[in-house]
Amino acid sequence: MQQFADAKRAYPDAILFFRMGDFYEMFEDDAVLAARLLELVLTSRNKGKPDEVPMAGVPHHAAHGYIARLLELGYQVAICEQMADPATVKGIVPREVVRVITPGTVTDRDQLDASTNNWLGAVEPERDGAGLALLDLSTGELRAAMARDLSALLAELGRAAPRELLVGGAPEGLPEAVAALRAALPGAAVREDRALDDAEAPAALGALASDAAGLAPAARAAVARALRYARACNPGVELPIAYIGRWEPSDALVIDPSTQRHLELALSARGTRDGSLLGVIDRTRSPAGARRLRRQLLAPLVDVARIRRRLARVEALVNDPALREQLAQALAGVGDLERLSTRAALGEATPRDLGAIRDGLVAAKQAIALLTKLGGGATLGDPLFEPASADTLDELAEALGRALVERPPAQPKDGAVFVTGYDRALDEEDELRRSGSERMVELEARLKRETGIGTLKVRFTRVFGWYIEVSRSQAGRAPEGWRRKQTVATGERYTIAELDDLADRILHAEERRRERELELLGELTRRAGAASSRLRALSALLARWDVAGALAEVAHRFDYVRPEVDTSSALLIEDGRHPVVERLAAAGRFVPNDVRLDLEGERLWVITGPNMAGKSTLLRQTALTVILAQMGSYVPARSARVGVVDRVLSRVGASDDLSRGESTFMVEMRETATILRAATARSLVIVDEIGRGTSTLDGLAIAWAVAEHLDAAIGCRALFATHYHELVELADSSEHVANYSVSARELENDVVFLHRLVRGATSKSYGIAVARLAGLPESVLARARAVLAALEGAPPGSGGPTAKAHLGGRGAGQLALFAPPAAPPSHPEIIETLRAVDVDRLTPLEALGLISTLKARL
């Protein structure tokens, strides 16, 4: 318990898994918490005594599953191991914390999503922005940047989606910063990190200090904070980080977290990959390729030359489908060299991991050979088209291939790791382990020949071990060098040095075999770990081609076209399609549409039309086309020209944020405010239905002002969908505003959506027809038609007395006290309701309900 207390003081924020024999035990508050979270039986030490201690435990061989559940909940787990074999230690076994596992420092592949980086983030706020560091310990990547303000910081964190975030800075403002980031990143474990003093920062940077010298002070502090935390979680282990990558947020198309959600880039509205853009375009064959594709999708480029280089790689594979298929098959065998190399560098690689590295290198060499054939030289001016010089680590592949069996076991304890003939000493011990009895038979036969004693036998008992037994009549012929071990009724028992040595070797053959196997395994692991930076470089090269191959496969399969990307102000899309919706629609049923925006011409389209006609789809597909083009992908269209966009901003959909106390209208206004603050003339803005959460006049006024601001003050390319038909008048006052509508036809109270975008405004919203499609009762629909007819016939300010009279409201008038009796009312609203009802669609129950309603109104 003293050992537990010492370890707990050193790691107070972690749940301590304390090794005791075959179990990891937890005590005191850790036990109470873990029992509740993991549904364990809570017991106690010293039960019933004054010093009773709560206790809970899990089997050590099943600990991974329990640790993964704690990490998902945002907790840290400290692993305190026995540092010696209990059989060889007198007294208490020494124990030490060998690893602290946190959501952001996991390296076990079973606890990681192979298609997503597992980032540990660190933020260092300052007056003019914030330093940001991202560390993925599982891949050895470390990156740093400066965010100019909170909006830019949240955009970068939204792209990365770190599982754990450390926040430092001035103590007086730290709690507020932590609270703000927790609200913005609900999926991350956000932690307040202690101050980083001047002496501590260089020590945390270590060998990376010179690499960090060129960073801004806040970015350098963020890097030091991330490294300090990672080293504390891996005491005594050298982190496999070779350099600090730097990125400039302005080099990427900005997509803030709300726009990511609106456009369903990486996750659908249901929170899954299925139904998202990433789910459609991810045809990668390697985990590193899948991770790179996700990063490219969430951080498209703004540099035209780099975009065109990416498109050239895709085009090369689009034009050679046979080679593309061969390359895909080779890449499928590469595996996750990036994460495997890190496990080797950390000394955590299992035999199966080393086997995966071996197989991955073999497949990588095949892929490089195919790429060499594809490139045919530097004809495209891209160094990636010269893969012949790629480092395929042939010497490591040869060493692993010579050493390991075809299918290495999952753990070293399972044995049978190395092929026969790889190591002579290992083969001898293995042979002894498997055929010890045969060796004794051979010794017995040889001793019989040498001594001529026909009754000589080599025997074994649990009490005396191995011995040579000679009958009493032959005992006088035993050589002088033999040592008498025991006299029995049937004869004499002897031993010799050769027998003792062989018996000892047989008895300990399994132990020595295991020790030798672990020694050889350690040598191979260290050799693979020493090559980790080369393995990651090879993995990065293949990942780029894996992404290109995936995008080429999507382009070929779904009929995408190479976009023309330039620095113009045009956005011209002919027969554009929504990449996700068209996959869900029946073959040939998706209706493509054109978009033509230009800063010098029509740059803001006001789009009207009925619900369900496709306005939101059009808005989203335009934004997705820009994102795909600038990430270096073909696009779903007949043709496309994209003048580079610096950020995509969206306000679509309707949702509230109850956890922050915000209504649907407040969320809408907050997102609109973000758009108006962040948009520039190079931005693309898509807006769908602003102003629905308030009164009609308020909503119309806000929508009008926002549209005017986008046109006159910002001057960006924008698509503005609305049901406020009054907004079409904006086109009369600005040459840069144009009216378009999504067409529909109404046939006998039914509506047919044509999904075709046409020039000009629509005159109706067809809301009642859509309500009918949704299944509203016919009696309600009939009443709605009557009310609509009354409102449309009312004068402006439809809440006035005339409208109320049409609707049968109480405000239709007031009877004078002594007035003569009035004529019986005609009840025009009831007559209109009866005229509007479709009798053929009424069920008997709905008919009775309608009669009851009309009678009550009479």
Side-chain angles (χ1 to χ4, degrees):
M1 293 308 295
Q2 183 61 50
Q3 287 180 333
F4 172 82
D6 292 342
K8 188 62 182 174
R9 274 194 297 271
Y11 298 94
D13 298 328
I15 296 176
L16 187 63
F17 274 42
F18 191 77
R19 183 68 177 270
M20 295 181 68
D22 291 334
F23 280 79
Y24 285 115
E25 299 289 358
M26 289 154 278
F27 299 102
E28 299 175 345
D29 292 343
D30 285 356
V32 175
L33 178 61
R36 176 171 59 83
L37 297 174
L38 302 177
E39 301 178 355
L40 304 175
V41 175
L42 182 64
T43 180
S44 63
R45 249 177 109 83
N46 303 328
K47 192 164 189 172
K49 297 180 181 179
D51 58 347
E52 182 176 278
V53 178
M55 180 175 72
V58 300
H60 77 93
H61 64 271
H64 285 296
Y66 292 104
I67 292 172
R69 288 169 62 184
L70 291 173
L71 295 178
E72 285 295 325
L73 295 170
Y75 290 93
Q76 306 172 354
V77 178
I79 306 298
C80 188
E81 287 286 2
Q82 296 174 168
M83 303 306 291
D85 185 350
T88 64
V89 176
K90 292 183 179 180
I92 298 177
V93 178
R95 294 177 174 86
E96 293 180 10
V97 173
V98 297
R99 177 86 191 278
V100 180
I101 307 175
T102 74
T105 60
V106 181
T107 56
D108 189 340
R109 285 190 297 166
D110 293 337
Q111 299 174 11
L112 293 171
D113 181 352
S115 63
T116 305
N117 279 95
N118 192 71
W119 293 116
L120 165 70
V123 173
E124 191 73 20
E126 64 174 16
R127 176 176 298 179
D128 299 325
L132 174 61
L134 294 172
L135 169 63
D136 186 344
L137 193 59
S138 69
T139 63
E141 293 175 84
L142 176 59
R143 309 172 66 203
M146 280 296 300
R148 66 179 183 275
D149 53 30
L150 179 61
S151 175
L153 175 65
L154 292 178
E156 296 307 311
L157 290 173
R159 298 183 205 270
R163 286 191 66 190
E164 189 172 11
L165 185 65
L166 310 174
V167 186
E172 61 274 10
L174 195 51
E176 290 79 5
V178 170
L181 289 169
R182 277 187 180 141
L185 301 168
V190 181
R191 310 189 194 282
E192 181 179 322
D193 198 34
R194 63 181 177 85
L196 190 75
D197 58 44
D198 294 339
E200 202 172 12
L205 292 169
L208 296 172
S210 59
D211 202 19
L215 296 173
R220 187 164 58 248
V223 168
R225 190 175 298 283
L227 289 172
R228 179 182 67 179
Y229 187 80
R231 288 198 175 96
C233 292
N234 296 272
V237 176
E238 184 64 30
L239 299 181
I241 301 168
Y243 65 94
I244 302 172
R246 307 176 192 187
W247 92 95
E248 176 57 51
S250 61
D251 289 344
L253 169 65
V254 178
I255 309 172
D256 61 36
S258 64
T259 301
Q260 284 187 39
R261 292 193 303 273
H262 294 160
L263 299 179
E264 299 178 279
L265 295 181
L267 295 173
S268 69
R270 299 184 301 275
T272 63
R273 278 170 58 96
D274 292 340
S276 70
L277 178 60
L278 183 60
V280 169
I281 66 172
D282 189 357
R283 296 292 188 274
T284 55
R285 298 303 185 97
S286 69
R291 293 192 291 271
R292 183 174 184 85
L293 177 65
R294 186 181 187 277
R295 292 200 300 269
Q296 284 190 198
L297 173 62
L298 297 180
L301 300 174
V302 295
D303 184 282
V304 172
R306 293 177 63 193
I307 295 170
R308 288 174 177 171
R309 282 199 296 270
R310 287 183 178 179
L311 289 170
R313 289 198 291 271
V314 176
E315 183 178 27
L317 292 174
V318 166
N319 293 336
D320 196 337
L323 190 143
R324 183 177 73 243
E325 178 58 30
Q326 293 174 343
L327 179 63
Q329 293 176 3
L331 291 171
V334 169
D336 201 343
L337 284 178
E338 195 172 37
R339 281 182 170 161
L340 289 168
S341 68
T342 300
R343 288 181 57 77
L346 291 172
E348 298 175 352
T350 65
R352 186 166 293 173
D353 291 338
L354 293 176
I357 292 175
R358 173 201 62 194
D359 298 341
L361 288 175
V362 171
K365 190 166 185 176
Q366 296 172 355
I368 293 298
L370 290 169
L371 291 175
T372 304
K373 184 190 303 184
L374 173 70
T379 54
L380 298 177
D382 186 345
L384 285 179
F385 274 92
E386 303 173 16
S389 60
D391 181 5
T392 54
L393 291 88
D394 294 342
E395 74 289 351
L396 177 60
E398 189 276 332
L400 293 173
R402 187 165 45 85
L404 299 172
V405 296
E406 182 179 358
R407 294 184 177 180
Q411 297 297 331
K413 66 179 181 180
D414 298 330
V417 175
F418 296 94
V419 297
T420 302
Y422 175 66
D423 182 76
R424 182 176 178 180
L426 179 63
D427 290 345
E428 290 178 356
E429 300 299 343
D430 195 46
E431 177 65 21
L432 274 174
R433 180 180 63 87
R434 289 186 288 102
S435 59
S437 297
E438 296 176 8
R439 300 287 291 273
M440 287 297 181
V441 171
E442 293 174 1
L443 176 62
E444 180 185 74
R446 182 165 57 81
L447 290 176
K448 281 183 178 181
R449 290 195 305 271
E450 291 175 355
T451 61
I453 303 174
T455 60
L456 182 149
K457 296 177 180 177
V458 177
R459 292 285 186 265
F460 173 82
T461 67
R462 287 182 176 274
V463 178
F464 294 103
W466 289 96
Y467 56 86
I468 302 169
E469 184 172 305
V470 179
S471 66
R472 187 175 297 278
S473 61
Q474 299 286 322
R477 301 178 62 183
E480 294 183 2
W482 289 15
R483 300 189 308 276
R484 182 176 281 104
K485 196 170 185 178
Q486 186 185 21
T487 300
V488 294
T490 58
E492 298 290 338
R493 293 177 176 176
Y494 301 91
T495 186
I496 59 177
E498 184 179 0
L499 176 63
D500 291 342
D501 178 62
L502 182 58
D504 179 72
R505 289 169 58 198
I506 291 174
L507 188 61
H508 296 93
E510 177 64 29
E511 180 181 341
R512 280 195 288 264
R513 182 196 67 82
R514 185 181 297 111
E515 290 176 353
R516 181 57 179 165
E517 202 163 54
L518 289 174
E519 182 181 344
L520 294 172
L521 188 62
E523 292 175 1
L524 275 183
T525 301
R526 285 188 291 274
R527 184 167 182 177
S532 62
S533 60
R534 297 165 61 196
L535 283 168
R536 286 196 294 271
L538 176 62
S539 178
L541 185 149
L542 294 177
R544 286 192 284 269
W545 280 103
D546 194 6
V547 170
L551 296 177
E553 179 67 20
V554 170
H556 174 81
R557 181 173 300 188
F558 301 143
D559 193 25
Y560 288 11
V561 67
R562 176 172 176 166
E564 179 186 350
V565 182
D566 54 32
T567 58
S568 71
S569 62
L571 177 55
L572 310 176
I573 302 171
E574 182 184 1
D575 284 349
R577 313 187 304 274
H578 193 294
V580 179
V581 176
E582 75 166 343
R583 301 270 62 76
L584 303 177
R589 294 295 301 274
F590 188 91
V591 178
N593 277 295
D594 299 344
V595 172
R596 297 181 180 85
L597 299 176
D598 196 315
L599 295 182
E600 303 303 320
E602 295 178 358
R603 63 189 179 212
L604 190 151
W605 282 9
V606 175
I607 303 173
T608 53
N611 286 301
M612 297 293 295
K615 299 192 303 297
S616 295
T617 300
L618 174 69
L619 268 58
R620 287 179 168 94
Q621 74 188 40
T622 303
L624 293 180
T625 298
V626 169
I627 290 171
L628 285 170
Q630 292 190 211
M631 72 171 282
S633 169
Y634 278 34
V635 299
R638 183 184 298 273
S639 68
R641 179 186 178 191
V642 177
V644 166
V645 170
D646 66 352
R647 62 179 63 221
V648 172
L649 296 154
S650 71
R651 158 83 289 279
V652 297
S655 63
D656 53 27
D657 191 345
L658 297 180
S659 63
R660 299 174 64 176
E662 295 184 349
S663 66
T664 302
F665 182 66
M666 176 57 76
V667 171
E668 180 181 306
M669 290 299 98
R670 182 164 50 80
E671 292 178 352
T672 303
T674 299
I675 290 174
L676 299 182
R677 283 196 304 267
T680 71
R682 298 293 311 186
S683 301
L684 172 65
V685 175
I686 60 172
V687 177
D688 189 13
E689 305 298 351
I690 281 184
R692 289 175 297 183
T694 184
S695 72
T696 302
L697 293 180
D698 277 354
L700 173 59
I702 292 171
W704 190 293
V706 169
E708 271 190 347
H709 189 83
L710 289 173
D711 173 41
I714 298 174
C716 61
R717 289 164 285 184
L719 299 176
F720 199 103
T722 183
H723 279 291
Y724 294 129
H725 298 162
E726 294 84 351
L727 290 183
V728 301
E729 297 177 18
L730 283 169
D732 297 334
S733 59
S734 174
E735 62 180 345
H736 299 299
V737 179
N739 291 320
Y740 284 82
S741 61
V742 184
S743 55
R745 293 289 183 272
E746 194 169 20
L747 302 172
E748 299 181 357
N749 293 330
D750 282 338
V751 63
V752 177
F753 301 117
L754 303 180
H755 303 294
R756 174 66 68 183
L757 189 68
V758 296
R759 194 173 189 87
T762 187
S763 59
K764 297 183 65 175
S765 291
Y766 303 98
I768 294 176
V770 174
R772 180 179 167 277
L773 292 176
L776 265 65
E778 178 60 32
S779 57
V780 174
L781 295 173
R783 178 61 181 156
R785 294 187 194 104
V787 172
L788 178 62
L791 290 174
E792 288 178 340
S798 57
T802 305
K804 291 180 180 178
H806 277 283
L807 298 178
R810 297 181 182 274
Q814 181 174 341
L815 293 176
L817 186 59
F818 301 107
S826 62
H827 299 290
E829 81 282 357
I830 295 178
I831 295 173
E832 290 302 320
T833 299
L834 288 171
R835 283 178 176 161
V837 71
D838 188 344
V839 177
D840 294 334
R841 295 184 181 276
L842 277 178
T843 67
L845 186 59
E846 288 175 344
L848 290 174
L850 178 60
I851 293 171
S852 177
T853 300
L854 297 180
K855 183 175 180 181
R857 297 192 66 81
L858 283 173

